[in-house]
Amino acid sequence: MEQVPMSATGGTLGDLTKHQLRNLCRVVSIDESEPVRLLGRVLGSADSRPLSRPPLWQSDIADDATPVEFSVQINDTGERHLRILAETLPEHPSPAANLGAARDLVSSLSERYGLPLDRLRAIEDLFTPDEPQGHFSWWFSFIFDAAGRPKFKVYLNPAIRGPERSDEICAEAFRRLGLEEAFHTVGAHALQRAQDELTFFALDLDHGPQSRVKLYISQHDATTDDVIRAAGAVPGISPGQVGDFCRLLAPGTARFSGRPLVSSYSLVESDRDKPSNYSIYLPLRDYVPDDSVSRERVRRHLREYEIDPAMLDEVIGSLTERELSANAGLLAHISLRLSPDQTGTTVYASSEAYGGTPVQR
Ligand code: TRP
């Protein structure tokens, strides 16, 4: 039977995305109450907005302006983590108002969960100009462990003072965090081309020495050799795996000239001169005819890493009943995380609350 879309039933963005989230909580076997509450909180003024009305803001979280994206991370140990990436929206969005709402959210989360804000406080002035520029100010992710307990990450925009200042802002943030050398290492491997763009600077809002700083670089027009070189910044991993990953998910693609491959690096307190972990993100939606092909390729990748591919269909089924061949973009990105002792795959899946990725002709 055709499912009646929520937009036709007077549903809100909150109704749809919470329904999807409840399904995903079942897939990863965690209690839904905390995730659903947090989703409502982060949606802010977008929560109660009827889907029959246009998006409150052209959020860049997803291609159709939905301000949330779901992901499921699977480690080679079999652990699964559910995550929500989101932009919080105030009643009257604007770059400055969105930044204000994001800062308020940080304060209220830190009060409720006792989050340490010392590292954020040490660098936030760099990322909070009076007149923010770029696609976003601050984004959030909520990561739920096997017990359903959340961890929090905040993403800051290096281009918030204009793209020409991204490099200088990130260098200063790394310097303040005592990771100056590591920033140079990353730059030498992934910021050598004119098309390499610093896109996110992220912090775990966690206690302890394992709390991470993450830097994301969009490598426009890259070849697999470019991202293999980027992976070379991390000791003890095999960069060749990154090439295999790209070839399996986007066979025959010599140059990724659609949405870019993204490289990210994680650094913990002890990573003074080199990052300890590398991830590649492949925007699968631009390198497939549609999601039925994405599904096949991701299944192949999961089998390669000895992960049961049945999980993928459960994730898809949590979000939609549409024909997979009708469009691309439900499976937005796939990422592979490499560290010396662990490998993980993450599947980023769209809510498609506002129709999904626009069809390109
Ligand atoms: N939608 C944006 C993009 O595709 C931001 C984004 C959302 C993103 N999820 C992501 C970027 C995962 C990289 C990886 O660029």
Side-chain angles (χ1 to χ4, degrees), residues 82-275:
L82 174 62
R83 310 194 308 184
I84 303 171
L85 174 70
E87 175 164 26
T88 194
L89 296 174
E91 197 181 338
H92 301 290
S94 71
N98 296 3
L99 178 55
R103 299 182 78 169
D104 291 346
L105 181 58
V106 167
S107 306
S108 78
L109 292 174
S110 85
E111 252 166 57
R112 184 176 173 117
Y113 296 93
L115 307 179
L117 299 182
D118 45 322
R119 293 187 311 158
L120 179 62
R121 297 299 181 229
I123 57 147
E124 68 179 326
D125 61 295
L126 299 168
F127 297 91
T128 47
D130 292 337
E131 287 179 32
Q133 301 178 37
H135 298 301
F136 76 105
S137 54
W138 294 10
W139 283 350
F140 293 87
S141 75
F142 306 144
I143 305 149
F144 300 95
D145 66 14
R149 276 184 306 251
K151 286 191 168 195
F152 302 92
K153 200 159 118 185
V154 52
Y155 298 76
L156 310 174
N157 186 352
I160 200 146
R161 295 173 189 273
E164 65 291 345
R165 297 197 56 192
S166 299
D167 201 77
E168 159 205 342
I169 286 172
C170 289
E172 173 61 11
F174 272 77
R175 193 192 62 75
R176 291 188 192 173
L177 296 171
L179 297 167
E180 199 171 7
E181 282 300 305
F183 184 71
H184 288 303
T185 304
V186 167
H189 287 83
L191 287 169
Q192 296 298 315
R193 303 155 62 249
Q195 308 96 315
D196 297 332
E197 180 195 8
L198 286 160
T199 33
F200 308 106
F201 177 98
L203 284 177
D204 282 345
L205 301 180
D206 289 342
H207 293 279
Q210 290 310 309
S211 183
R212 298 166 305 171
V213 179
K214 275 188 94 171
L215 191 64
Y216 296 74
I217 299 167
S218 296
Q219 305 202 271
H220 300 275
D221 282 319
T223 63
T224 43
D225 285 343
D226 293 321
V227 284
I228 291 171
R229 184 167 338 107
V234 177
I237 63 170
S238 55
Q241 263 178 283
V242 174
D244 296 340
F245 173 80
C246 294
R247 281 185 288 272
L248 190 148
L249 288 167
T253 306
R255 192 175 286 281
F256 288 78
S257 48
R259 288 185 181 81
L261 293 172
V262 178
S263 289
S264 89
Y265 299 92
S266 301
L267 301 102
V268 296
E269 208 175 278
S270 56
D271 294 332
R272 300 214 161 262
D273 59 348
K274 283 189 164 85

Side-chain angles (χ1 to χ4, degrees), residues 28-31 79-81 144-149:
V28 299
S29 315
I30 62 171
D31 186 83
E79 261 178 279
R80 298 160 168 202
H81 291 169
F144 300 95
D145 66 14
R149 276 184 306 251

Side-chain angles (χ1 to χ4, degrees), residues 60-63 69 85 139 200 259 262 281 285 333 348:
D60 195 39
I61 294 265
D63 298 343
E69 179 185 67
L85 174 70
W139 283 350
F200 308 106
R259 288 185 181 81
V262 178
Y281 304 77
R285 59 203 188 282
H333 278 93
Y348 295 80

Side-chain angles (χ1 to χ4, degrees), residues 35-58:
V36 168
R37 198 189 64 76
L38 278 167
L39 176 57
R41 177 65 182 86
V42 75
L43 283 173
S45 294
D47 187 7
S48 58
R49 190 169 176 89
L51 285 169
S52 55
R53 300 193 57 202
L56 184 57
W57 175 254
Q58 280 302 314

